[in-house]
Amino acid sequence: MVLGAEGADGTGRALAGQDAAMDGALTALYGGRGSGRSGGEGSGGRSAGLGGSAPSVARWLGDIRTYFPTSVVQIMQRDAIDRLGLAALLLEPEMLEAVEADVHLVGTLLSLNKAMPETTKETARAVVRKVVEDLEKRLATRTRATLTGALDRSARISRPRHRDIDWDRTIRANLKNYLPEQGTIVPERLIGYGRAAQSVKKDVVLCVDQSGSMAASVVHASVFGAVLASMRSLDTRLVVFDTAVVDLTDQLDDPVDVLFGTRLGGGTDINRALAYCQSRITRPADTVVVLISDLYEGGIRDEMLKRVAAMKASGVQFVALLALSDEGAPAYDREHAAALAELGAPAFACTPDLFPEVMAAAIEKRPLPVPDTDLPAG
């Protein structure tokens, strides 16, 4: 079926009933000469714009939720905010109650946080909490299971019980004892898995760019930060930055508080943020630093790279993510990405579903599962 305003559909037939209503909802956002203006009418009498009033937008939001699946509704809401400048209407509680909550809406609300009146903040927090709880349900169990396994495997012991022997590392450690006549290896030294909860504790530092383009990444990082902080075997720190640096570690028990502690937008000083994170590292060999940024540096580039090199030389496992979202790599600084890759820290976009595997690899000090399509040029 092709829907279109006026003669755009080319069928010569008029739409009726639900088809006409769907066509009207689409035309209000995407079509017609009056798109984006109030009071525009097409030849069929359909409204050709959402106008600037909350009631007309609220009715339209109700319509699209009736006629389209949730995934489509979320895209249309995002396009309405981008194309028609409707972000200010989200400051009204009635409007927030009508929208379909998703990660992108949360990002928009966070960018409006400072302008949000008190009457709206409670509703906004409820919207953000719903999205956060949905993300936690999706991500928490798998993240804990994956990282618990990685922590167990990273706790190497030299006199393991048979069931705890890490045969792959044991064989590699004893290759010099290979007996060709017998076709076997004499394992002089056994390497085994320990019990992470008792013997190993890793430090994790999430360093998150809160510039406007990183909104979805900030939301996901806050949720993952809360999940990691709930694991006894990990000591997790969450740092967000633009040109200033804010440590939100003491709010990790509630990711909603974390999100409202951010301020999306502004410049970027990665070097300053990494300097702060570096100053908090006390056990480099047992520390994983995750930088989540599009790498557009407004600070001192050479100092930033020197800090990464110094952290890696001290034993820190350094992970650079261009994004932590389902949308792939954003626009990013390719020169900085290539420079990090030369230091042994490839920068790549990471989906929320891949993040537990990335963290597990970093904890075990093995190569990261870098998606080939996201490898930086150069």
Side-chain angles (χ1 to χ4, degrees):
M1 180 185 292
V2 177
L3 302 178
E6 302 176 1
D9 53 11
T11 64
R13 296 180 178 273
L15 298 174
Q18 181 170 310
D19 292 340
M22 293 174 66
D23 185 29
L26 290 168
T27 300
L29 176 57
Y30 299 112
R33 289 182 301 249
S35 181
R37 300 188 301 269
S38 61
E41 298 288 336
S43 60
R46 295 188 299 258
S47 171
L50 294 179
S53 69
S56 66
V57 178
R59 285 193 298 272
W60 178 79
L61 288 168
D63 287 345
I64 64 174
R65 292 174 77 169
T66 299
Y67 303 130
F68 301 100
T70 299
S71 58
V72 175
V73 170
Q74 292 172 347
I75 293 172
M76 293 178 73
Q77 286 179 172
R78 198 183 321 160
D79 287 347
I81 292 170
D82 293 341
R83 291 164 61 95
L84 306 181
L86 301 181
L89 293 179
L90 294 176
L91 299 179
E92 302 183 23
E94 297 80 6
M95 188 63 60
L96 277 180
E97 292 170 355
V99 296
E100 189 71 40
D102 68 346
V103 169
H104 301 283
L105 178 63
V106 170
T108 300
L109 290 178
L110 296 179
S111 69
L112 297 171
N113 185 26
K114 300 302 181 184
M116 194 174 293
E118 291 299 323
T119 55
T120 306
K121 285 188 176 181
E122 184 176 347
T123 305
R125 287 184 72 89
V127 170
V128 172
R129 188 168 297 282
K130 179 182 182 301
V131 174
V132 165
E133 288 176 350
D134 289 345
L135 285 174
E136 285 185 309
K137 289 177 184 176
R138 169 189 161 193
L139 302 170
T141 300
R142 179 167 170 265
T143 299
R144 291 191 185 101
T146 300
L147 297 192
T148 297
L151 288 161
D152 281 343
R153 289 187 294 273
S154 70
R156 308 296 171 183
I157 56 178
S158 59
R159 299 182 62 184
R161 291 172 293 181
H162 185 270
R163 67 180 182 180
D164 291 331
I165 295 175
D166 182 340
W167 288 108
D168 180 63
R169 293 198 175 206
T170 294
I171 290 171
R172 281 188 285 159
N174 290 279
L175 287 175
K176 64 180 180 180
N177 300 320
Y178 177 66
L179 302 178
E181 310 84 41
Q182 286 76 30
T184 188
I185 290 174
V186 177
E188 289 183 353
R189 183 166 68 94
L190 298 177
I191 300 175
Y193 305 128
R195 299 301 175 191
Q198 300 173 4
S199 59
V200 172
K201 188 177 183 182
K202 295 288 184 180
D203 298 336
V204 175
V205 181
L206 301 179
C207 185
V208 186
D209 183 344
Q210 62 177 352
S211 57
S213 60
M214 302 296 294
S217 298
V218 171
V219 176
H220 286 112
S222 298
V223 172
F224 276 117
V227 173
L228 298 181
S230 71
M231 299 179 64
R232 292 183 179 180
S233 300
L234 296 176
D235 185 4
T236 303
R237 181 177 296 275
L238 177 64
V239 176
V240 298
F241 68 93
D242 42 34
T243 53
V245 180
V246 181
D247 193 326
L248 297 175
T249 302
D250 61 353
Q251 299 179 38
L252 276 175
D253 58 332
D254 188 346
V256 176
D257 286 342
V258 169
L259 288 170
F260 277 95
T262 64
R263 54 176 191 180
L264 292 177
T268 308
D269 193 336
I270 303 173
N271 178 56
R272 174 177 290 185
L274 290 181
Y276 177 84
C277 295
Q278 189 177 24
S279 72
R280 295 301 184 269
I281 295 173
T282 58
R283 303 185 308 140
D286 291 315
T287 298
V288 178
V289 173
V290 183
L291 172 65
I292 304 174
S293 173
D294 54 17
L295 301 180
Y296 286 110
E297 170 65 317
I300 307 173
R301 175 187 185 273
D302 290 343
E303 287 298 316
M304 175 190 76
L305 296 175
K306 286 179 181 178
R307 290 191 191 282
V308 175
M311 282 189 275
K312 287 186 62 66
S314 70
V316 170
Q317 297 299 301
F318 190 90
V319 180
L321 301 181
L322 300 170
L324 179 54
S325 72
D326 288 309
E327 300 177 335
Y332 64 95
D333 191 307
R334 293 180 175 271
E335 182 180 348
H336 289 162
L340 288 175
E342 291 179 3
L343 295 175
F348 58 99
C350 178
T351 65
D353 288 332
L354 180 62
F355 185 73
E357 302 297 335
V358 170
M359 289 301 299
I363 286 171
E364 295 183 63
K365 301 184 179 181
R366 54 182 170 84
L368 302 178
V370 180
D372 291 340
T373 54
D374 285 325
L375 283 171

